[in-house]
Amino acid sequence: MALAEPYRSALLLRYYEDLSVPEVARLLDVPLETARTRLRRGFPCFESALIENTREAAVPGRSHWLHVPGTLSRRRCRCSWERWR
């Protein structure tokens, strides 16, 4: 699962390194709103890739184990993750 670079860096810093949004913006050397936009656009792309990979790995006949809340499943991926499949 690959994610386009500006989104990948922002998401890793925010959620893996547990940094605040201002810290992410400072480390990436971008304005605060740019960091927020990258996080806002990147998360649905990551989420849709994760859901797709989970469904592919699911045991046949046990798809009911995969519960995706309606609000999450309707998010539109606006990044370039689709190119990287």
Side-chain angles (χ1 to χ4, degrees):
M1 167 174 47
L3 192 62
E5 180 46 43
Y7 306 115
R8 177 182 155 86
S9 296
L11 288 169
L12 282 173
L13 289 171
R14 176 69 176 110
Y15 297 107
Y16 186 74
E17 298 293 333
D18 199 29
L19 299 177
S20 67
V21 178
E23 290 171 322
V24 170
R26 185 179 52 79
L27 285 173
L28 294 176
D29 196 28
V30 296
L32 181 62
E33 288 305 313
T34 301
R36 285 184 182 151
T37 300
R38 288 179 182 179
L39 291 167
R40 188 176 59 247
R41 290 181 183 171
F43 189 77
C45 296
F46 170 73
E47 183 179 55
S48 65
L50 184 64
I51 290 169
E52 183 176 313
N53 285 346
T54 304
R55 284 189 178 142
E56 289 173 0
V59 176
R62 297 188 181 171
S63 60
H64 62 278
W65 288 3
L66 299 172
H67 172 69
V68 179
T71 56
L72 298 179
S73 62
R74 286 191 292 263
R75 286 187 183 170
R76 183 169 177 254
C77 179
R78 292 177 36 188
C79 68
S80 57
W81 175 81
E82 295 296 326
R83 306 187 289 197
W84 298 100
R85 275 201 218 171

